[in-house]
């Protein structure tokens, strides 16, 4: 009979959509995987006691508080999970790190790369384990893609094309939101960050960028009825150079009428190619140039037990994972990192890296010049 | 502040793949939906105390037992969940029904339709709520299809084509398993049952069938090293007549090399058509004949908040549900039926109905004649 | 410098859509391929001199006649090409055969199988070369499929599923046409014939069938304003047994709203599988079970120079053939058969065979019994 | 009875792949369409008399010559068709124009934009009609896209993404060819030109570009066994600004392992979106934002008689056009322009325009700055 697992007590700040998603992730991960810890939903914080208590009951936390500092100050809590508004991430995370907590933070780590970098440095100094919520790279099919690249199955990769397009801002009459905040907003930051994270996850450091940003909808009305000028990009593009020698591009677009999740990539190597769309994220399309003449073609590989950790969810192929399952995989990786089994899959350093990429592209677009991306050693790599 | 919910105490029999899947379903449903009950994982039974205790710890049950009768006899338990081998379903379910429990039973309800019907009658007499695990019909895209049909969006449906094909028996050297048991085994029973359930869920009662069954692999070796003759079908087909006037066909095939989940249908009406594949089950393809000339085509509708209960899993479209999420929807429907809010979505009567369809097709195939399906009033309908 | 080619003088009867298509086929074949003959468009016949003369000018024939017998009687003419109404095929073909002409006839060879067989026998006795217009099997991707099957790349084929569905009769208010003629009409005869031809082309003789036919639209108005009862099938289905041991099914449906050319098949073998749709007929999807675990999937093979005779149309892959190109390939095969280089690709015997299959299925459906298909040795085989 | 058509006598220079394709185009156009002229294949020129005579016999020309100047000088010839090597286009075209001939020239019009512009100016001064072979835009589905955009069906277009990727240079060991010639070679010129032509055809003038070009394979061996440095781009990319206000990007890549014809675009407007791939060029995918909630999705519109001139090829939908059919449509447009019925669909001005776009992008890439594209009034527009 196995020894009981150590407990990992969670303090959650924020109970909106992402807070709920994180709790699903913890619950699902605990059911699906043999985690290194027993997860305890300890305390949840929201802006009033009533909201917090309702959330605690609904989500299964033992305690509730209107004050997130209570969580940070509570010595019983091991891990602080931040799903509060982006503007608060830094203050909360730094406080939690200072208190010696592990910190799980939704993306973006902070609106500005310099703040994100400060958070990453603080975490490194304190020796706590961190995680930023870039769940698309938790997909077993992306892990498969990464492994195929690393194993040389595709030869030398020469070209990369990444996209993240959705239509949630396609209505020109839609309101001004926090996503339009000049400090940290825009399509490039909001969803281009995913395209960039996936690009570095797959191909390694991006060393140079040329950006292009466009604001299409020039004003939007805010909650007070005021027409606010929009300064952030609706569409962002970049040419990319990778340290591997590959070149490529990404596009971010939140005006893409009809697209709900076009997080796609194609990459071409000397021995093969891959094509992926998040619209059908249980598939990876693989072209193997070594197949015999007349028999070659992009093969639709369906997710199955050969693609860990799919098999923990389902023993049979073809059953498919859902979005919430990706969050469970994110939790698994993070807890294994806390237990010291693996490096941080997507820690604060990776989160800060993505912000650096976004800001460098945005600046390049503004100045209309190619820019080097500082510190390639910091590139997103993850541990698939 | 809402009143606390009544508890619903679960006793689970069986801790294999489907047992684990049911527990995921309960856990996920509790997080995702505002269920009418507080689910309590009360007792789990497996064949030895050690196995049961390990499962209890792993799955989160309070109590464990080596004897499933303990669960049936425990007055604290409200719902008995049976994921034990098929041959035991009847005895367990009848005992649980006799004890006044609600019963949740994995498919097939029983290897023989007569046994399944006896179980359904017992449940009806006892007034308990039952559920059989036909989770494919819990997909919001199938609910959408059903609603479009019922609303007349497709006109009069004239043709139906259903398939359930996989390749888990495609290796002729694979072993003899319980799925090859002459009493209740075969592709038609194992997966054709899904195709039939979906057909009636969408179009209503099947009234007449002409079956065709084929055994391709004639012997398989069992665990004792004995070559056992195979009497069940590897491939089953049927022509169908529906009480609505539509005609159609289904095919079941567990030798379909390369297919992991080809649970597909196409249906054609006078005003439109639908095409669906479980291989991409977050999509429904819809042809609307009323679109202007030159603009018509099958539209790929992606699952989103417009397709309840998708929105409970995720507020944004395009994120996609996974297989385990369908099980959570199954749990939601069942608990709502227990609470009296809706009719049983897929109760024992529906489970028995599917067995009747399977047996009628098998007999038709053997006798090589068209057969009427008894009792169309019993057809699978569900409550989408 | 090559010797001049012998001339092959064509007499065309009928100048409608199919007549025009045949002329495209001759013209295109002459440009694309190194044919064994110089094709001469000699005489065209239509029902009046004026119509015939207009067609001659438009289509490039030297002579025109209102009387098809002129063509048959003209000793200069080598090949009689019949695209007149189906009911006239037999009389015309027998006369042409009697005059020692090669005969090219659009499908169906004749409304009744017995007539078609008589035509085939006459051609065989006279030693002339014949061709029936089953152009779908002229697709290089179907040739590829056939060769993969014959080479054993897919192992033993165990299951076949064929469909030919379109929507050209989907409007219940559409008129009564010659396609509704009780003698030889119906979906099974009109398009099911294609599904059957493809099935035998790929897998060899069909030995036994169980048919199912349905008439959905019970009356249609004819040109005189009379409501005519419909006796032919709108939907036809069949279970199939092949002499190879495989089993399968086909469906014909001309009420399939939204489908313009669903001539599809899937076939499953012990080592692999193929999936094809005429909707994307420059592709063949191939699953190779020998690929490594985690890398398997249906590969989309695109038509290219590796798939003869694609390379005669275009030296580069990816450019795609069109429907009219398939007709040119049909012409190539026929002329090579006339030159004695290959067997008839799809001669009158094959045309008669398809009619036999259609009639046997129709009779089986009417009598509701399985029927053996006579004379498996006559099966469609073609020379890909 | 119609009056006989005036003859249009063709002189063809060059008998390689494209020469043959042009002859198919003439032949097919003459059969399919009611052209304003009777096409006469008058004289063909190749580098020796023998080659020219063989080609004449094979392709159906009356006369043959080893000297292309004979064609230019022959007063009987109306139209000079140039499919000779790119480097010769200018000299031949200017001579033909000076002789008052209409000139049909394969792409690229000339390796340098300045030469192409000179040719366009000469044609304009001489008042002859010209055509450059950009056949992808002759696809009825692209005409449909253009008409939908112009009719406002998609609202204001805000984003465009175009690709032309193939793998014909993916083998690093492949030889040095004329396509690597520093004057006018490279992926951007060879296939990026198609992506640019399609972009302007659909959205109108491109006003500003930022280019990015990459040479991956640094040397290739030429026919003499010499390793030649490669100066042209293997991959070319550009950000685009359109005079309409839309922004976008294109990519050209001839190292795209596994791609044979990825001439794709997606465009997003405020009311809808379109997605197209030349890999399935008989389809256009259309998202209509006005469809009801829960019923929206990209609809796969299949080419049919509603999309002129498809109906001239085939009276029924779903039969599909092939690549050679697009060439016939190109011929139709050109002959209608010669007859004065429409403007030149893709005359020398359009051909020169594409060269200007290519060169501006290449220069932008080299100088790493955004550049304005001169003379937006010259943009490719065509007459669909």
């Amino acid at each position: 009979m196995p020894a009981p697992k150590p407990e990992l007590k969670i303090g959650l700040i924020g109970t909106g959509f992402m807070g709920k998603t994180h709790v699903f992730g913890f619950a699902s991960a605990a059911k699906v995987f043999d985690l290194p810890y027993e997860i305890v939903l300890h305390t949840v914080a929201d802006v009033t006691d009533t909201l917090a208590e309702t959330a605690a009951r609904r989500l299964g936390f033992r305690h509730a508080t209107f004050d997130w500092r209570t969580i940070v100050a509570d010595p019983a809590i091991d891990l602080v999970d931040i799903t509060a508004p982006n503007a608060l991430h830094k203050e909360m995370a730094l406080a939690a790190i200072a208190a010696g907590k592990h910190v799980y933070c939704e993306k973006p780590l902070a609106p500005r790369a310099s703040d994100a970098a400060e958070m990453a440095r603080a975490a490194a100094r304190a020796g706590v384990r961190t995680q930023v919520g870039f769940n698309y790279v938790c997909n077993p099919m992306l892990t498969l893609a990464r492994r195929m690249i690393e194993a040389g199955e595709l030869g030398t990769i020469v070209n990369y094309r990444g996209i993240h397009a959705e239509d949630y801002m396609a209505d020109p009459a839609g309101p001004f939101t926090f996503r339009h905040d000049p400090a940290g907003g825009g399509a490039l930051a909001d969803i281009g960050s995913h395209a960039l994270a996936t690009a570095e996850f797959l191909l390694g450091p991006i060393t140079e960028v040329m950006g292009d940003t466009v604001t299409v909808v020039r004003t939007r009305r805010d909650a007070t009825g005021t027409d606010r000028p929009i300064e952030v990009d609706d569409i962002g593009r970049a040419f990319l150079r990778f340290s591997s020698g590959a070149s490529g591009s990404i596009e971010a677009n939140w005006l893409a009428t009809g697209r709900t999740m076009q997080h796609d990539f194609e990459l071409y190597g000397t021995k093969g190619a891959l094509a992926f769309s998040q619209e059908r994220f249980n598939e990876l399309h693989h072209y193997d140039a070594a197949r015999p003449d007349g028999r070659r073609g992009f093969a639709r590989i369906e997710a199955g037990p050969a693609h860990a950790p799919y098999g923990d969810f389902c023993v049979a192929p073809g059953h498919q994972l859902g979005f919430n399952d990706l969050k469970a995989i994110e939790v698994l990786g993070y807890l294994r990192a806390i237990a010291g089994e693996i490096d941080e899959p997507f820690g604060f350093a990776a989160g800060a890296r993505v912000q650096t990429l976004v800001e460098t592209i945005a600046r390049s677009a503004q100045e209309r010049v190619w820019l080097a991306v500082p510190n390639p050693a910091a590139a997103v790599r993850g541990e698939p």
Side-chain angles (χ1 to χ4, degrees), chain A:
Chain A
M1 200 178 123
K5 291 174 183 174
E7 290 190 338
L8 189 79
K9 297 201 187 69
I10 311 291
L12 174 68
I13 308 175
T15 65
F17 167 50
M18 283 317 299
K20 196 174 156 186
T21 297
H22 278 222
V23 172
F24 290 0
F26 286 123
S28 187
K31 296 292 181 194
V32 170
F33 301 116
D34 186 17
L35 296 177
Y37 296 97
E38 184 81 16
I39 292 171
V40 176
L41 300 181
H42 190 279
T43 304
V44 63
D46 208 331
V47 287
T48 70
D49 270 348
T50 304
L51 280 173
E53 276 159 22
T54 304
R57 231 184 353 264
R58 178 75 197 280
L59 297 174
F61 283 81
R62 295 177 183 174
H63 310 287
T65 174
F66 76 98
D67 180 7
W68 63 267
R69 292 176 189 282
T70 308
I71 284 177
V72 168
D74 188 338
I77 286 175
D78 303 298
L79 186 158
V80 176
D81 185 4
I82 303 171
T83 66
N86 302 343
L88 304 175
H89 288 182
K90 183 182 176 186
E91 181 184 8
M92 291 170 171
L94 290 179
I97 289 166
K101 313 296 191 197
H102 302 297
V103 186
Y104 187 6
C105 185
E106 250 319 294
K107 66 161 282 271
L109 188 50
R112 291 178 201 284
S114 57
D115 291 325
E118 183 183 339
M119 294 159 76
R121 283 193 302 270
R125 275 196 306 269
V128 299
R129 295 282 88 77
T130 56
Q131 173 79 22
V132 188
F134 276 86
N135 47 279
Y136 297 121
V137 297
C138 298
N139 182 344
M141 302 319 273
L142 261 70
T143 303
L144 172 63
R146 162 90 171 259
R147 292 203 168 137
M148 291 174 80
I149 294 166
E150 289 182 344
E153 294 183 40
L154 308 167
T156 303
I157 307 304
V158 300
N159 189 43
Y160 183 86
R161 198 188 305 134
I163 297 168
H164 194 123
E166 302 193 30
D167 66 0
Y168 57 101
M169 296 294 176
D171 181 1
F176 186 97
T177 73
F178 73 90
R179 288 191 165 86
H180 301 99
D181 187 332
L188 199 57
D190 201 34
I191 54 179
S193 52
H194 287 299
L196 290 162
T198 296
E200 283 210 337
F201 175 79
L202 292 171
L203 294 194
I206 294 168
T207 52
E208 210 184 358
V209 296
M210 171 75 209
D212 179 28
T213 53
V214 179
T215 305
V216 176
V217 181
R218 313 298 309 192
T219 63
R220 290 183 184 269
R221 187 155 298 184
D222 69 15
T224 70
T226 309
D227 282 335
R228 300 271 296 269
I230 301 293
E231 300 174 23
V232 300
D233 58 298
D234 288 315
I235 303 169
R237 305 177 187 90
F239 302 140
L240 308 176
R241 292 292 182 278
F242 294 87
S243 67
S244 70
S247 69
S249 67
I250 59 104
E251 179 188 313
N253 182 355
W254 65 20
L255 303 179
T257 300
R259 294 293 177 188
T260 58
M261 190 52 72
Q262 192 182 22
H263 179 87
D264 296 0
F265 68 81
E266 294 187 15
L267 57 87
Y268 295 93
T270 49
K271 295 182 179 174
L274 296 177
F276 171 83
S277 175
Q278 185 74 15
E279 292 184 353
R280 290 166 169 172
F281 74 78
N282 285 274
E283 301 175 8
L284 181 67
H285 294 254
H286 171 219
Y287 183 90
D288 179 357
R291 297 279 295 158
D293 195 29
R295 301 293 180 277
R296 289 189 286 268
F298 278 86
R300 180 166 70 95
I301 303 173
E302 295 178 279
H307 314 110
Y310 174 100
D312 290 291
F313 290 91
C314 185
V315 294
H319 283 65
Q320 299 182 31
L321 302 186
F323 174 77
N324 287 333
D325 298 326
L326 302 187
K327 211 69 188 174
I329 297 174
E330 185 174 286
V331 166
L332 168 67
Y334 185 28
L335 266 59
R336 293 189 63 211
I338 292 174
E341 298 174 11
I342 59 170
D343 285 346
E344 288 175 351
F346 211 104
F348 278 15
R353 170 68 179 179
V354 172
Q355 293 303 97
T356 299
L357 289 166
V358 166
E359 284 191 10
T360 309
I361 291 169
R363 191 155 56 84
S364 162
Q366 199 169 5
E367 302 177 3
R368 304 189 115 201
V369 294
W370 280 85
L371 291 176
V373 182
N375 196 15
V380 170
R381 286 306 282 163
E383 274 300 306

XYZ file of all heavy atoms in Angstrom, chain A residues 6 50-51 88 98 109 143 157 183 219 226 239 270 279 293 302 366 369 384:
144
model
N 2.087 13.805 0.201
C 2.079 15.110 0.890
C 0.980 15.992 0.316
O 0.628 15.888 -0.860
C 3.464 15.680 0.569
C 3.932 14.945 -0.644
C 3.298 13.576 -0.587
N -18.943 37.753 0.697
C -20.060 36.989 0.156
C -19.679 36.295 -1.136
O -19.917 35.094 -1.313
C -21.261 37.925 -0.108
O -21.560 38.591 1.101
C -22.476 37.131 -0.578
N -19.060 37.049 -2.021
C -18.619 36.430 -3.285
C -17.650 35.301 -3.003
O -17.722 34.227 -3.611
C -17.934 37.481 -4.173
C -18.876 38.392 -4.958
C -18.068 39.499 -5.648
C -19.650 37.573 -5.998
N -3.127 43.330 -11.647
C -2.805 43.005 -10.251
C -1.797 41.878 -10.124
O -1.321 41.580 -9.027
C -4.093 42.627 -9.507
C -5.207 43.684 -9.542
C -6.477 43.146 -8.890
C -4.733 44.946 -8.840
N 7.492 36.538 -2.007
C 8.174 37.001 -0.796
C 7.792 36.137 0.404
O 8.580 35.939 1.327
C 7.835 38.461 -0.543
N 1.664 37.312 -17.739
C 2.278 37.403 -16.422
C 2.163 38.835 -15.916
O 1.817 39.062 -14.749
C 3.741 36.959 -16.553
C 4.523 36.788 -15.257
C 3.760 35.935 -14.262
C 5.869 36.145 -15.559
N 3.295 18.214 -27.986
C 4.439 17.471 -27.453
C 4.976 16.520 -28.514
O 6.188 16.396 -28.710
C 4.001 16.685 -26.207
O 3.455 17.599 -25.263
C 5.176 15.949 -25.594
N 14.502 22.115 -39.907
C 13.299 22.943 -40.131
C 13.727 24.244 -40.783
O 14.615 24.936 -40.270
C 12.582 23.246 -38.804
C 12.299 21.955 -38.029
C 11.290 24.034 -39.067
C 11.509 20.925 -38.760
N -1.636 49.891 -21.959
C -0.555 49.206 -21.265
C -0.807 47.702 -21.300
O -1.489 47.149 -20.435
C -0.471 49.678 -19.819
N -12.098 53.656 -32.499
C -12.644 54.032 -31.178
C -13.635 52.963 -30.739
O -14.280 52.300 -31.569
C -13.418 55.374 -31.214
O -14.552 55.226 -32.073
C -12.555 56.529 -31.706
N -18.321 56.708 -22.862
C -17.310 57.553 -23.521
C -16.671 56.802 -24.682
O -16.319 55.623 -24.548
C -16.200 57.915 -22.511
O -16.818 58.438 -21.339
C -15.214 58.922 -23.128
N 7.692 38.906 -38.853
C 8.669 37.992 -39.440
C 9.590 37.549 -38.307
O 9.891 38.347 -37.416
C 9.527 38.686 -40.512
C 8.761 39.287 -41.655
C 9.140 40.527 -42.178
C 7.690 38.621 -42.235
C 8.459 41.090 -43.263
C 7.004 39.188 -43.314
C 7.386 40.419 -43.814
N 13.528 19.534 -44.000
C 14.107 18.893 -45.178
C 13.631 17.452 -45.347
O 13.735 16.886 -46.430
C 15.638 18.926 -45.105
O 16.049 18.455 -43.810
C 16.169 20.327 -45.310
N -8.282 24.180 -34.099
C -9.686 23.896 -34.407
C -9.953 22.391 -34.404
O -11.099 21.963 -34.277
C -10.056 24.483 -35.774
C -10.050 26.006 -35.781
C -10.515 26.592 -37.104
O -10.723 25.828 -38.066
O -10.665 27.826 -37.172
N 7.417 6.957 -53.439
C 6.821 7.822 -54.454
C 5.393 7.355 -54.756
O 5.128 6.163 -54.890
C 7.673 7.742 -55.735
C 7.339 8.859 -56.702
O 6.928 9.943 -56.242
O 7.492 8.657 -57.913
N -4.206 10.861 -35.258
C -5.185 11.168 -34.220
C -4.592 10.891 -32.845
O -3.884 9.896 -32.647
C -6.434 10.312 -34.408
C -7.192 10.609 -35.682
C -8.390 9.682 -35.837
O -8.208 8.530 -36.288
O -9.497 10.113 -35.495
N 6.306 49.680 -34.480
C 6.182 51.125 -34.327
C 7.345 51.840 -35.008
O 7.159 52.843 -35.702
C 6.172 51.452 -32.836
C 5.615 52.809 -32.526
C 5.380 52.958 -31.025
O 5.734 52.073 -30.245
N 4.776 54.074 -30.638
N 11.402 48.864 -37.969
C 12.741 48.275 -38.173
C 12.800 46.871 -37.556
O 12.052 46.552 -36.631
C 13.860 49.117 -37.505
C 13.985 50.474 -38.191
C 13.601 49.271 -36.001
N 8.151 18.965 -22.351
C 6.928 18.346 -22.858
C 6.597 17.050 -22.113
O 7.497 16.347 -21.731
C 7.237 18.063 -24.308
C 8.725 18.073 -24.430
C 9.252 18.924 -23.336
